[in-house]
Amino acid sequence: MKKIILTGDRPTGRLHVGHYAGSLKERVLLQNTGNYDEIYIMIADAQALTDNAEHPERVRQNIKEVALDYLACGIDPEKATIFIQSMVPELTELTFYYMNLVTVSRVQRNPTVKSEIKQRNFEASIPVGFFCYPISQAADITAFRATAVPVGEDQLPMLEQCKEIVHKFNSVYGETLTEPEIVLPSNSACLRLPGIDGKAKMSKSLGNCIYLSDEPEVIQEKIMSMFTDPTHLKVSDPGHVEGNPVFTYLDAFCKPEYFAEFLPEYQNLDELKEHYQRGGLGDMKVKRFLNHVMQTELAPIRERRQMWEQRLPEVYDILKAGSMSARETAAKTLADVRHAMQIDYFESKNLEM
Ligand code: TRP
């Protein structure tokens, strides 16, 4: 069986280090292993419209931003097909057929949908399209016969729902669709990077993000203002590293060699943590170190982004070519689906079974 990756992001803003740690970094690693036959990276504009129906301009602008963020992180258009979801209308048709295989109560039980409905104050009036987006996500994944879906942990319920749809479809219409597996980052600190304010999630609406495109001074300012351990008032006080976002970021991004380079009085992160817990290590010192770490990690990304910003026509060509090629692949799966469902009327000689 071919090894195929499909994943994507909603274009509702520039991507931030939470996206990077939780999924983008993993995608680039997987891409560069050379172990995958096909890689599809999708800008999920149709999904973004499910809760931005009145702001198509917002979605439109952010397609460019997300494409730039992808290229900046090292997604290589020679190895991966980057495409725009709505440019592959086959996905909508698949969604329509899958809708018959899912109950309303099943979608209502989806924990991600539940929390997003709350977050958006949709309780009283949920747009039908928004409600159905887990089903459309199953269409995205299965259209490309993806075997691996590298996403953040919050997408686990979507993958569960997708697998159920695959099973249901295959049991009703015969073996047709491929079951995907979620790929989560192996480093648990990357699973859910907190915001700089210490809130559980980095999110544009909370204003607690470090963006991949942030300038060095902005990154520094954000890091120096980060929430730490509120009980660590004096340098001599013992501090907590659990739930302390400064240490979570270090867990996610620090490489051993950064100590020799920026903080040679410590051998490694464990030593630094021990000192903090014991007392006698100030937040400012740890933040300055984290700033060095983040600047080192983000500089090449920002530079590559600026390079691609100078080549926007090429970026559009990449998206256009990617969308055309993605459409061909999705059309083949759709043909198989229509055949399995016995609605490929004009493919056979007549309408008899
Ligand atoms: N839901 C994803 C997000 O919020 C985007 C997405 C849409 C996606 N379809 C997908 C991710 C299919 C993985 C697979 O960013």
Side-chain angles (χ1 to χ4, degrees):
M1 193 170 65
K2 275 193 177 173
K3 292 180 76 176
I4 300 173
I5 288 177
L6 175 117
T7 183
D9 301 273
R10 298 180 193 187
T12 52
R14 291 176 291 152
L15 301 181
H16 51 63
V17 296
H19 293 115
Y20 182 62
S23 167
L24 284 166
K25 208 170 160 182
E26 189 73 29
R27 294 180 203 173
V28 175
L29 284 173
L30 294 174
Q31 166 192 277
N32 294 339
T33 59
N35 287 342
Y36 288 86
D37 300 294
E38 294 165 32
I39 302 176
Y40 298 94
I41 313 280
M42 179 182 77
I43 304 181
D45 65 329
Q47 191 177 102
L49 285 167
T50 66
D51 62 342
N52 283 284
E54 277 141 51
H55 299 286
E57 74 292 342
R58 192 182 293 164
V59 173
R60 189 183 168 100
Q61 280 162 10
N62 283 308
I63 286 182
K64 180 187 82 182
E65 302 296 340
V66 171
L68 287 170
D69 284 328
Y70 284 167
L71 294 164
C73 286
I75 303 276
D76 177 353
E78 301 280 319
K79 297 179 184 152
T81 304
I82 307 176
F83 72 98
I84 301 176
Q85 186 181 28
S86 70
M87 289 286 121
V88 183
E90 285 74 9
L91 299 174
T92 350
E93 189 174 336
L94 284 176
T95 305
F96 196 65
Y97 301 141
Y98 294 174
M99 280 178 178
N100 304 327
L101 306 175
V102 184
T103 63
V104 170
S105 65
R106 174 61 184 89
V107 180
Q108 271 166 341
R109 269 187 285 116
N110 183 314
T112 306
V113 173
K114 258 191 189 164
S115 72
E116 288 181 335
I117 285 173
K118 244 205 207 118
Q119 205 186 322
R120 289 164 177 71
N121 292 319
F122 275 166
E123 278 103 336
S125 55
I126 309 169
V128 175
F130 178 82
F131 189 73
C132 294
Y133 96 73
I135 307 173
S136 111
Q137 200 157 326
D140 302 335
I141 295 169
T142 53
F144 297 92
R145 306 194 172 283
T147 53
V149 183
V151 280
E153 194 186 28
D154 61 322
Q155 297 293 307
L156 244 170
M158 298 299 156
L159 266 287
E160 287 312 313
Q161 184 122 47
C162 176
K163 285 187 194 187
E164 283 174 36
I165 292 173
V166 169
H167 288 165
K168 181 83 181 178
F169 189 102
N170 287 348
S171 74
V172 175
Y173 303 116
E175 226 26 68
T176 312
L177 302 175
T178 309
E179 186 178 320
E181 288 302 330
I182 191 167
V183 182
L184 295 171
S186 49
N187 178 346
S188 67
C190 292
L191 282 180
R192 185 160 284 207
L193 208 67
I196 56 172
D197 57 357
K199 295 231 171 73
K201 207 177 162 182
M202 193 173 278
S203 125
K204 186 178 39 122
S205 48
L206 297 173
N208 60 4
C209 307
I210 298 175
Y211 292 98
L212 293 172
S213 48
D214 277 346
E215 293 296 331
E217 312 78 62
V218 176
I219 298 171
Q220 175 166 348
E221 202 178 297
K222 288 180 177 173
I223 290 174
M224 297 318 277
S225 73
M226 259 174 96
F227 175 86
T228 62
D229 172 7
T231 68
H232 186 240
L233 296 174
K234 293 198 295 286
V235 171
S236 55
D237 288 340
H240 296 86
V241 297
E242 297 85 27
N244 182 335
V246 175
F247 282 96
T248 310
Y249 284 28
L250 284 174
D251 279 328
F253 294 104
C254 186
K255 296 189 186 120
E257 60 265 30
Y258 291 148
F259 281 94
E261 205 174 337
F262 304 119
L263 203 60
E265 57 266 49
Y266 299 88
Q267 296 281 323
N268 53 43
L269 197 47
D270 286 340
E271 266 188 18
L272 189 74
K273 285 183 181 171
E274 269 165 36
H275 193 182
Y276 191 81
Q277 287 168 312
R278 207 164 59 232
L281 173 57
D283 282 324
M284 279 303 156
K285 187 163 178 177
V286 188
K287 284 181 176 177
R288 272 197 296 272
F289 177 55
L290 176 63
N291 179 49
H292 282 302
V293 169
M294 297 307 284
Q295 298 287 358
T296 311
E297 291 281 308
L298 296 177
I301 296 178
R302 186 178 48 251
E303 282 157 22
R304 223 174 302 142
R305 202 179 194 281
Q306 285 162 352
M307 188 271 286
W308 281 107
E309 273 170 24
Q310 306 301 315
R311 293 161 58 182
L312 279 182
E314 224 177 300
V315 177
Y316 290 124
D317 286 344
I318 290 169
L319 294 178
K320 201 169 166 190
S323 300
M324 276 163 62
S325 135
R327 191 166 183 193
E328 276 172 34
T329 309
K332 284 185 200 136
T333 306
L334 180 60
D336 292 346
V337 160
R338 295 189 65 121
H339 180 72
M341 293 175 72
Q342 306 177 18
I343 56 172
D344 57 339
Y345 307 112
F346 301 132
E347 297 302 317
S348 45
K349 291 277 173 291
N350 56 48
L351 289 175
E352 312 299 324
M353 296 302 289

